[in-house]
Amino acid sequence: MGLNLGVDKEAEHFAPVRLSVEAVTLERGGHVLFERLSFSAAGGDFVELRGPNGAGKTSLLRAIAGFLKLTTGAITFEGVEDAQLALHLLGHRDGLKAALNVEAHARYWASLLGEGADAGAALDRVGLARIADLPARILSQGQSRRLALTRLVTAPRPVWLLDEPAAGLDTQGKDLLDALIAEHRARGGLVIAGLHERLTEEATMTVTL
Amino acid sequence: MGLNLGVDKEAEHFAPVRLSVEAVTLERGGHVLFERLSFSAAGGDFVELRGPNGAGKTSLLRAIAGFLKLTTGAITFEGVEDAQLALHLLGHRDGLKAALNVEAHARYWASLLGEGADAGAALDRVGLARIADLPARILSQGQSRRLALTRLVTAPRPVWLLDEPAAGLDTQGKDLLDALIAEHRARGGLVIAGLHERLTEEATMTVTL
Amino acid sequence: MISSFANPQKFMAISAWLMPAFAALAVVLFAIGVSLGLWFSPADYQQGESVRIMYVHVPAAWWSMAIYAMLALASFVFLVWRHTLADVAARAAAPIGAAYAGLCLVTGSLWGRPTWGTWWEWDARLTSMLVLFLTFLGYIALRAALDDEDKASRLGAILALAGAINLPVVHFSVEWWSTLHQPSSIIREGGSSIHPSMMAPLFTMAGAYAAAFAVLLLAGMRAEIYRRRATAAARKRARGT
Amino acid sequence: MSPLSVIFGRELALAWKAGPAAPVGFFLGAAVLLPLAMGTDRALLEAAGPPLVWVAAALAALMTLERLFQADLEDGSLDQLFLADESVELIVAAKGAALWVAVGLPLALAGAPVAIALQTPIEGIPAVVAGLALGMAAFIGAGLVAAAVTASVKRAGVLIALIVLPFFAPPVVFGAAATGHFGAPFLLLTGCALGAVSVGPILAAAALRLQAE
Amino acid sequence: MSPLSVIFGRELALAWKAGPAAPVGFFLGAAVLLPLAMGTDRALLEAAGPPLVWVAAALAALMTLERLFQADLEDGSLDQLFLADESVELIVAAKGAALWVAVGLPLALAGAPVAIALQTPIEGIPAVVAGLALGMAAFIGAGLVAAAVTASVKRAGVLIALIVLPFFAPPVVFGAAATGHFGAPFLLLTGCALGAVSVGPILAAAALRLQAE
Ligand code: HEM
Ligand SMILES: Nc1ncnc2c1ncn2[C@@H]1O[C@H](COP(=O)(O)OP(=O)(O)OP(=O)(O)O)[C@@H](O)[C@H]1O
Ligand SMILES: Nc1ncnc2c1ncn2[C@@H]1O[C@H](COP(=O)(O)OP(=O)(O)OP(=O)(O)O)[C@@H](O)[C@H]1O
Ligand SMILES: [Mg+2]
Ligand SMILES: [Mg+2]
């Protein structure tokens, strides 16, 4: 994957951002996932969340994104006024509309989440340019995942919350992911990822649930 | 994962089965995925399908399962009269009903696909016994995947078609998968899996698309 | 009062002796009301004995409306102050409200047979009562369909509020509608002219219905609280934590 | 247990979880809209009531159908049905039967109060209920096909409605005509029901096989 | 482009892909079916026609609601709406507006031929169309709330119907009364529409926030 495409050109540095998770306890359906979890990370860091199935990685990421209420504790961002406008959430589900084609998705996200690299360049970057006009319905698993990745490329946001981002990606796709994360960190971005396998990119911190 | 649970007890050997894929060409939406693909495998084999995203692994598996019509070529099974009653297909989607609980799924599959180990033992085997009464809606990604795996345990069928079976599984889950595959081969079962990462279990043959 | 109710333990304690008290009250009032209604009040000059249905029918009508008001209020309290008890109350009140509305509908149409010669007339009051009944059903059905307790509570509350906005509009529109096309030849409901001797039994029965509601509500709330404690415990055990 | 009974039970459970009282309530609600829209003129109600009751019933059937196969297709459970040791036709029929029990029957019973409210004489009620029960069978039979062919179309609700309308016309016409008495129209209605129930699953199964691709 | 206009456009595209002519077709179909079932007594038709048109419109609106938010929740695109630089209320309103344009307007226009077929005098047509357009706005406004609270319920079709029907009553009353002339009922109908359109999105947004958990 050549890294000389689209993105880097306007890759100006993010304003310093800092996330602190303080004594967070999370319950779901009356069952405690984890108690008094604390850690903090800043722009440039790559935090990996590890833990068995059902440990609470997805839940924690959704809590950081502000979708899940904390049972106790606090999650705070410094350096951004509205957290939900400063973060990307790449969940288990890709958020695609079967009826719309690949390019439509890229353009939609660009305008919804913030104009960055233009849709075309982004698709080029994730290697979907060739199939820009295929409807999402017929995309293969990995192609869908790559399409979801375009969100990260089109809209520059300092905080990335990635939930098993490599799931369904082929080796080349995993390399792309590594490259994107590396670039993002180089720009002062913060990456928090729930992972089961290892990425080549080294994590600065591992939080085990 | 103790392998001394439920399953093995009735692990009698499968009648010898043989799959041959002859000069198969597959098109989707007018675009050729692969041409004149040929290979054959027998009970005890573990065939891994490799290839980049969009290469056609899922399509091939669905073709073998009889869901996709071949453009040219033939796929034939020897040693089974009705192929669709002799195979398991574990696709990208787990086939769960959000409203029904874990145990209901296991019992449903047991009666739908053929009575094998009883539901309880199967859930125990995949490590979901503790949450047998949770609705599928709230299962985590990996828990859902493990639930899908119970199909392999409850209904003994000689041919397993697995599409990225390890996706979303934690390390312990991957070990379980390896164990299941090993057992299945030991019983004279045939495993064909589309894979992006490596399993510990060594493949007897690699088909690259 | 509300604030002391707000905590379940206190509630359980208080309701434990409130319930029998209301139960006793209900029994007494029903006894008085029924006997007054059946023997110590005149038959209607034009409706005859059937007028006695009124004592079952009218209080049911009044209280079903009152219960929805309470349901909406409880939902509001729950949404704003997160008092779990308010939610428990709302949940318990709904079926009772539906039952009262249903009772009004049934007795009403039973009444309609002798007085109007039909089981049902599309009269404004009847129609808006029917809509009220449906609103209760919708609320109950929604909560039943959501297996996530927490979501069920809050989404139910939102729906209840929407209904509270809607019902007055319905009432008005239906009144307007019925004046638009006056129902054909029927005896109008004797609403305006209730003979004083009918007042005593009517209001006693109204009191009885109120007491009965209180008992059923408290019982429902207590059952709900026990159920929640049980499921919480069960979950913990299942998860082996 | 046999696959069919298991599928039947499962569909019943799923329909039940989606709000048990709902079909009845919807039916009552739809019946209220009509007088609200056209006033309480006896003659009018008596004439327009039965047809509307029937259209309402048809819609109730429709709304339960939309997701019937689409959900199975999306969550991947459709594949498993093809791997079961049971003919797809029978499986589809089992799903339809479950739908009839979960929605059709309660709705037919709800027809009694509605008919009363629309001034149907009491002695006519049994015929109304029986008619609706038959009608729902006809609707579901035809609806299965529509649901199957549209299974891969998102937001297909209205599309399905459009597709099935022609098929719903005969039962609606005969059903409305049959309201209140067991006569010739009632026999015709029975005919529709039998036809739909016997042909529907076969066509639906054929359509589903294509959807599985 | 602003997020809102993009969301609006996208919803329009999705509704369009799901079968553009469908709602109109359904509406026409129902409008045909009802008289068909009523028998062809001219006087009856004239009297019963307009109300039936309104009931058909209400039911057509109903059919489009079920998947409105449920699909977004299932495919994960709901999350992205919360990460957009736009208030959820407005986003919901935009979706509602798109639905109105995609379904409400065509349906209102389809009202013209139907009204003519049902013997409405030509000069009354504009009022019919305008009335239906307003009515659809009212239906959709209320429908948003029902769709939002049921977003996580599978097979919610009938449940939604039960929930919204009480909200449909006032518009149906005024709408049917307004048929053919701009009078007091027309004003009241406008009132209903405004109320629903202003309150609906707020409650719906509140419900959606919970669904995102
Ligand atoms: C299904 C049939 C009926 C329903 C749903 C119904 C509903 C109601 C409702 C909602 C009220 C309370 C009105 C208010 O307090 O604002 C009421 C009161 C009353 N109804 Fe009915 N009704 C029905 C049939 C009848 C019949 C057949 C009669 C007798 C001719 C009747 C006589 C009365 C009287 C006397 C009152 C109390 C007077 C008043 O509160 O204004 N109702 N009914
Ligand atoms: N809505 C819910 N209500 C109750 N419990 C829930 C809900 N959602 C998830 N859970 C439970 O919370 C636990 C954690 O789920 P979560 O998805 O966060 O795990 P995870 O670490 O992401 O697992 P995986 O690695 O499989 O993705 C699971 O046991 C799940 O059953
Ligand atoms: N219904 C369809 N119509 C047309 N083309 C399709 C259809 N389904 C899939 N395709 C195309 O076929 C190609 C192969 O898809 P398939 O899912 O088999 O790939 P895959 O090898 O499984 O990829 P992945 O590793 O990402 O899962 C993809 O390019 C996809 O766009
Ligand atoms: Mg997860
Ligand atoms: Mg694949």
Side-chain angles (χ1 to χ4, degrees):
Chain A
M1 293 307 304
L3 301 189
N4 57 350
L5 297 165
V7 201
D8 320 19
K9 294 195 189 67
E10 60 225 64
E12 78 295 330
H13 211 277
F14 290 113
V17 56
R18 163 158 220 86
L19 162 72
S20 28
V21 174
E22 289 144 4
V24 167
T25 301
L26 212 51
E27 280 186 14
R28 298 205 80 171
H31 157 70
V32 178
L33 294 182
F34 48 79
E35 282 178 302
R36 307 194 55 72
L37 176 74
S38 299
F39 69 90
S40 85
D45 287 348
F46 172 23
V47 181
E48 64 177 5
L49 306 177
R50 298 207 163 267
N53 295 136
K57 300 178 292 300
T58 300
S59 302
L60 177 56
L61 286 169
R62 292 190 70 78
I64 296 176
F67 290 136
L68 262 183
K69 273 194 311 310
L70 306 179
T71 314
T72 66
I75 295 180
T76 50
F77 283 94
E78 290 157 41
V80 302
E81 61 280 355
D82 182 342
Q84 286 199 319
L85 301 186
L87 62 82
H88 272 301
L89 176 61
L90 191 77
H92 286 305
R93 284 159 302 168
D94 297 319
L96 307 183
K97 290 293 176 195
L100 302 180
N101 70 19
V102 168
E103 192 185 356
H105 282 89
R107 273 197 272 89
Y108 170 71
W109 286 324
S111 358
L112 187 73
L113 303 172
E115 210 64 62
D118 79 313
L123 289 179
D124 205 357
R125 181 67 199 273
V126 298
L128 295 180
R130 283 190 308 92
I131 58 173
D133 58 356
L134 283 192
R137 176 178 55 79
I138 69 172
L139 293 184
S140 79
Q141 186 80 345
Q143 289 168 330
S144 307
R145 199 64 179 162
R146 282 162 178 257
L147 182 48
L149 287 177
T150 52
R151 292 208 296 265
L152 305 177
V153 181
T154 47
R157 294 184 164 203
V159 181
W160 287 4
L161 307 175
L162 313 179
D163 201 350
E164 286 172 53
L169 291 177
D170 57 14
T171 30
Q172 186 208 43
K174 292 201 175 78
D175 297 344
L176 165 66
L177 182 64
D178 273 313
L180 288 175
I181 293 178
E183 271 173 38
H184 187 60
R185 296 176 59 190
R187 295 173 60 180
L190 167 60
V191 179
I192 304 178
L195 293 170
H196 285 306
E197 70 269 44
R198 298 226 153 278
L199 299 181
T200 359
E201 183 75 3
E202 270 308 322
T204 48
M205 179 196 315
T206 300
V207 174
T208 312
L209 299 177
Chain B
M1 296 306 308
L3 301 191
N4 56 350
L5 297 166
V7 202
D8 317 19
K9 294 193 190 66
E10 59 225 67
E12 79 295 329
H13 211 279
F14 289 113
V17 57
R18 164 157 219 89
L19 162 73
S20 27
V21 175
E22 290 144 2
V24 166
T25 301
L26 213 52
E27 280 184 14
R28 299 207 78 169
H31 151 76
V32 177
L33 295 182
F34 48 78
E35 282 178 301
R36 308 194 54 71
L37 176 73
S38 300
F39 70 89
S40 83
D45 286 348
F46 171 23
V47 181
E48 64 176 6
L49 306 178
R50 299 209 164 262
N53 295 136
K57 300 179 291 300
T58 299
S59 302
L60 176 57
L61 286 169
R62 294 190 69 79
I64 296 176
F67 290 136
L68 261 182
K69 272 190 308 305
L70 308 178
T71 314
T72 66
I75 296 180
T76 50
F77 282 93
E78 292 157 40
V80 302
E81 60 282 355
D82 180 342
Q84 286 199 320
L85 300 188
L87 62 82
H88 273 301
L89 176 61
L90 192 76
H92 286 304
R93 284 158 301 169
D94 297 319
L96 307 184
K97 291 291 177 197
L100 302 180
N101 70 19
V102 168
E103 193 186 356
H105 282 89
R107 273 197 271 90
Y108 170 71
W109 287 324
S111 359
L112 187 73
L113 302 172
E115 210 64 62
D118 80 313
L123 290 179
D124 205 357
R125 181 67 199 274
V126 299
L128 295 180
R130 283 195 303 100
I131 59 173
D133 59 351
L134 284 192
R137 177 179 58 78
I138 69 172
L139 294 184
S140 79
Q141 185 80 346
Q143 289 169 330
S144 307
R145 200 65 179 159
R146 283 163 178 255
L147 182 48
L149 288 177
T150 54
R151 292 208 295 264
L152 306 177
V153 181
T154 47
R157 294 184 165 204
V159 181
W160 286 3
L161 306 174
L162 313 178
D163 201 350
E164 285 171 52
L169 291 177
D170 57 14
T171 30
Q172 187 210 39
K174 293 201 174 77
D175 296 344
L176 165 67
L177 181 65
D178 273 312
L180 289 175
I181 293 178
E183 271 172 42
H184 187 61
R185 297 175 60 191
R187 296 173 58 180
L190 167 60
V191 179
I192 303 179
L195 293 170
H196 285 306
E197 69 269 43
R198 300 226 151 278
L199 298 180
T200 359
E201 183 75 2
E202 270 310 321
T204 49
M205 178 195 316
T206 300
V207 175
T208 311
L209 300 177
Chain C
M1 187 61 178
I2 289 297
S3 53
S4 70
F5 262 124
N7 123 4
Q9 283 67 27
K10 273 219 190 72
F11 168 81
M12 289 312 244
I14 300 173
S15 58
W17 59 262
L18 265 185
M19 211 164 46
F22 278 122
L25 181 61
V27 172
V28 175
L29 287 179
F30 268 118
I32 301 175
V34 168
S35 46
L36 277 181
L38 288 185
W39 301 292
F40 305 105
S41 70
D44 187 80
Y45 68 97
Q46 59 183 178
Q47 297 176 8
E49 297 298 333
S50 69
V51 72
R52 308 190 186 282
I53 296 181
M54 179 173 78
Y55 306 130
V56 187
H57 166 82
V58 178
W62 287 342
W63 284 114
S64 57
M65 301 183 222
I67 292 175
Y68 192 88
M70 189 221 113
L71 171 63
L73 182 68
S75 303
F76 181 78
V77 171
F78 174 67
L79 278 184
V80 177
W81 290 287
R82 287 254 169 280
H83 280 328
T84 32
L85 262 183
D87 172 53
V88 172
R91 187 174 205 259
I96 311 172
Y100 277 22
L103 186 62
C104 173
L105 289 171
V106 172
T107 53
S109 53
L110 284 178
W111 198 356
R113 194 62 190 145
T115 47
W116 301 339
T118 69
W119 294 98
W120 181 269
E121 267 305 329
W122 288 102
D123 151 282
R125 253 194 215 148
L126 282 57
T127 310
S128 47
M129 178 54 57
L130 187 52
V131 173
L132 175 61
F133 180 64
L134 287 175
T135 310
F136 274 120
L137 279 193
Y139 176 85
I140 295 169
L142 175 65
R143 291 198 69 143
L146 292 162
D147 51 3
D148 183 327
E149 291 282 336
D150 202 35
K151 263 190 195 172
S153 308
R154 290 182 285 168
L155 291 173
I158 291 175
L159 180 61
L161 290 184
I165 302 172
N166 185 50
L167 283 172
V169 184
V170 171
H171 193 75
F172 165 75
S173 65
V174 167
E175 290 291 347
W176 181 88
W177 160 79
S178 65
T179 55
L180 186 65
H181 8 237
Q182 265 306 333
S184 38
S185 62
I186 57 154
I187 312 153
R188 300 297 312 119
E189 294 193 3
S192 47
S193 61
I194 298 185
H195 191 278
S197 64
M198 297 182 176
M199 284 301 183
L202 185 58
F203 286 124
T204 331
M205 286 302 276
Y209 272 66
F213 168 66
V215 177
L216 294 173
L217 180 68
L218 292 178
M221 291 175 71
R222 292 174 64 87
E224 172 67 6
I225 290 175
Y226 281 129
R227 195 184 58 76
R228 289 189 182 186
R229 288 177 181 170
T231 44
R235 271 276 167 81
K236 284 216 165 28
R237 250 182 285 107
R239 297 306 219 312
T241 43
Chain D
M1 281 202 291
S2 89
L4 284 185
S5 57
V6 176
I7 292 170
F8 179 84
R10 187 181 203 223
E11 287 299 314
L12 217 54
L14 286 171
W16 181 257
K17 298 226 178 204
V24 179
F26 160 70
F27 196 43
L28 295 176
V32 182
L33 283 187
L34 179 67
L36 284 180
M38 79 179 169
T40 55
D41 175 338
R42 268 272 173 61
L44 263 182
L45 271 187
E46 280 169 21
L52 182 91
V53 166
W54 275 85
V55 172
L59 284 176
L62 269 185
M63 279 184 299
T64 53
L65 282 169
E66 174 178 4
R67 300 285 298 154
L68 188 58
F69 298 121
Q70 193 172 88
D72 290 353
L73 186 65
E74 286 170 5
D75 64 28
S77 53
L78 187 63
D79 294 347
Q80 301 308 316
L81 294 179
F82 289 101
L83 302 182
D85 187 2
E86 203 47 86
S87 86
V88 184
E89 286 74 10
L90 287 180
I91 290 178
V92 171
K95 282 172 83 89
L99 206 56
W100 185 76
V101 172
V103 179
L105 270 190
L107 201 136
L109 295 176
V114 171
I116 291 175
L118 295 172
Q119 317 300 357
T120 315
I122 286 296
E123 54 279 14
I125 299 305
V128 171
V129 174
L132 279 171
L134 277 173
M136 287 304 287
F139 295 146
I140 290 176
L144 286 173
V145 184
V149 295
T150 56
S152 53
V153 181
K154 306 287 167 188
R155 300 230 198 137
V158 199
L159 180 59
I160 295 187
L162 182 55
I163 293 177
V164 290
L165 265 174
F167 300 95
F168 281 12
V172 168
V173 172
F174 298 135
T179 309
H181 63 291
F182 296 95
F186 196 91
L187 292 181
L188 292 168
L189 176 61
T190 318
C192 292
L194 291 178
V197 168
S198 48
V199 179
I202 299 173
L203 296 178
L208 278 185
R209 287 212 179 74
L210 303 179
Q211 299 286 11
E213 278 215 344
Chain E
M1 282 204 290
S2 90
L4 284 185
S5 57
V6 178
I7 292 170
F8 178 84
R10 188 181 202 225
E11 286 300 314
L12 218 52
L14 286 172
W16 183 259
K17 292 234 157 92
V24 179
F26 165 75
F27 177 63
L28 293 176
V32 172
L33 198 53
L34 287 164
L36 203 71
M38 268 180 63
T40 48
D41 175 338
R42 182 79 176 269
L44 270 181
L45 271 188
E46 283 182 32
L52 290 179
V53 167
W54 270 87
V55 175
L59 297 175
L62 201 55
M63 313 238 45
T64 58
L65 290 173
E66 175 176 4
R67 299 287 297 158
L68 190 56
F69 296 120
Q70 192 172 93
D72 291 352
L73 186 63
E74 286 171 3
D75 64 29
S77 53
L78 187 64
D79 293 348
Q80 301 306 318
L81 294 179
F82 289 100
L83 301 181
D85 188 2
E86 208 39 274
S87 87
V88 184
E89 285 74 9
L90 287 179
I91 291 178
V92 171
K95 279 174 85 86
L99 197 60
W100 184 76
V101 172
V103 179
L105 269 189
L107 200 139
L109 295 175
V114 174
I116 292 173
L118 295 171
Q119 322 296 350
T120 316
I122 291 296
E123 59 276 16
I125 300 303
V128 172
V129 173
L132 281 171
L134 277 172
M136 288 304 286
F139 294 149
I140 290 175
L144 287 173
V145 183
V149 293
T150 56
S152 54
V153 180
K154 307 287 169 189
R155 303 236 201 127
V158 195
L159 178 60
I160 292 185
L162 168 59
I163 290 177
V164 287
L165 279 173
F167 294 86
F168 283 9
V172 165
V173 168
F174 298 131
T179 309
H181 64 291
F182 296 95
F186 197 90
L187 291 182
L188 292 167
L189 175 60
T190 318
C192 290
L194 290 179
V197 168
S198 49
V199 180
I202 298 173
L203 292 176
L208 279 183
R209 286 211 182 76
L210 304 180
Q211 301 286 17
E213 277 205 351

